[in-house]
Amino acid sequence: MSKIKKLYKENIYGIIGTLCFHILLVSSFLLAEVNLKGEVKEEPIILDFTDMEELEEPVVEELAEEKEDENTPANETEQTQASSRSNQAVNDAPMKDPFFDEEYQKEIAEAQKLVADVNKQLAKEVKQLEEFAMPEETTEGMDPDSIKNTIYSGESNIHYFLENRYHLRLPIPVYLAQGGGLVVVDIVVNPRGKVIQAEVRKNANLKDPMLEVYAKQAAERTVFNTDKSAPAQQKGTISYTFVAQ
């Protein structure tokens, strides 16, 4: 027991020093582990695509050039032939369609013929109204005292008034009309018997506007006897009674 005490006294400082060293070593390890766990930092990841872009661009351009070469005809002749084949296909398509059968083609031909006939009729010269012939009442060789100023043509009649004058030629337009009604025309006649002016009086009861046209034409064609003593412009009237045909 005395030996142990003696050894203890001799080595007490060494033992204490050793313990302190180990305590400090353990403490430093613990502190180092805490720092490692608590101070972990995340660093950003940077990806560099510069090299990849430089490599991809030539590839894209090469593909575009190859595609353009494929779509471009080898020469102008090939392009023309391709266009011709396309147009021929379009032109031939309707003929192969069941809808465009023989009956349809027949109707088209008839329609084209009808259009041609209409154009042919329209191309013909249209006669002017002045060229239409009218029957006339003449008094050539008659006694002026026996000439009446009212002329009957069937159920229609023409009556004129021109003081001290009688007609030599009196056109009768009633045969041209389909409708009926009374048309009065104011006339102006020169000494030679020519009608130099004719104006139709408006009649709201007329349903056929052509009656006025025919009456005016007939009045302008009327010829009266010559009277040198007559006024330069002698006024009168001609009345046309049309009966519906």
Side-chain angles (χ1 to χ4, degrees):
M1 187 69 180
S2 60
K3 289 182 180 182
I4 293 173
K5 290 181 178 181
K6 186 177 180 180
L7 289 173
Y8 176 74
K9 289 181 179 180
E10 290 178 355
N11 298 308
I12 186 62
Y13 295 107
I15 293 170
I16 292 172
T18 301
L19 290 174
C20 291
F21 173 77
H22 283 88
I23 290 172
L24 291 174
L25 182 63
V26 171
S27 298
S28 64
F29 285 148
L30 290 174
L31 291 175
E33 184 178 358
V34 171
N35 289 335
L36 289 173
K37 291 181 179 181
E39 295 180 0
V40 175
K41 295 182 180 180
E42 296 182 359
E43 295 184 358
I45 300 174
I46 300 175
L47 300 178
D48 189 358
F49 293 99
T50 303
D51 296 338
M52 294 181 66
E53 291 179 356
E54 291 178 354
L55 293 175
E56 289 179 357
E57 286 181 358
V59 174
V60 174
E61 291 178 357
E62 291 177 1
L63 291 175
E65 291 178 357
E66 292 178 0
K67 187 176 181 180
E68 183 177 357
D69 293 339
E70 292 176 358
N71 294 334
T72 303
N75 51 50
E76 186 175 353
T77 303
E78 292 181 0
Q79 186 175 4
T80 304
Q81 293 176 352
S83 177
S84 177
R85 288 194 296 272
S86 177
N87 293 336
Q88 185 65 32
V90 173
N91 292 334
D92 294 342
M95 301 303 294
K96 297 178 181 178
D97 195 324
F99 178 76
F100 297 94
D101 54 8
E102 293 182 0
E103 188 66 23
Y104 174 81
Q105 297 297 331
K106 183 178 179 181
E107 292 179 358
I108 290 296
E110 292 177 353
Q112 291 174 346
K113 183 177 181 300
L114 178 60
V115 171
D117 291 341
V118 172
N119 290 335
K120 184 177 180 181
Q121 292 295 329
L122 293 176
K124 291 182 177 179
E125 182 179 358
V126 179
K127 287 187 176 181
Q128 299 296 324
L129 184 59
E130 293 81 359
E131 298 178 10
F132 283 101
M134 293 183 186
E136 295 181 346
E137 174 73 15
T138 62
T139 60
E140 184 178 358
M142 294 179 61
D143 183 2
D145 293 335
S146 65
I147 299 174
K148 297 180 181 180
N149 62 349
T150 300
I151 306 300
Y152 290 92
S153 178
E155 297 180 0
S156 302
N157 67 75
I158 302 172
H159 174 79
Y160 65 86
F161 174 77
L162 189 65
E163 189 174 3
N164 298 326
R165 308 288 288 272
Y166 58 90
H167 71 277
L168 298 179
R169 294 171 54 191
L170 186 66
I172 302 173
V174 293
Y175 298 103
L176 298 175
Q178 296 296 324
L182 174 65
V183 180
V184 179
V185 182
D186 294 311
I187 60 173
V188 177
V189 183
N190 63 14
R192 297 177 57 185
K194 180 177 177 59
V195 177
I196 59 177
Q197 185 176 341
E199 294 292 337
V200 177
R201 294 183 185 179
K202 295 299 180 182
N203 183 356
N205 296 325
L206 291 178
K207 296 182 179 180
D208 185 357
M210 291 304 298
L211 298 182
E212 296 181 350
V213 177
Y214 296 140
K216 180 179 174 64
Q217 284 292 319
E220 291 177 345
R221 298 182 190 183
T222 302
V223 179
F224 293 92
N225 65 299
T226 300
D227 186 358
K228 295 180 180 180
S229 63
Q233 294 185 350
Q234 186 177 359
K235 295 182 179 181
T237 60
I238 305 179
S239 300
Y240 300 89
T241 302
F242 294 88
V243 175
Q245 302 298 316

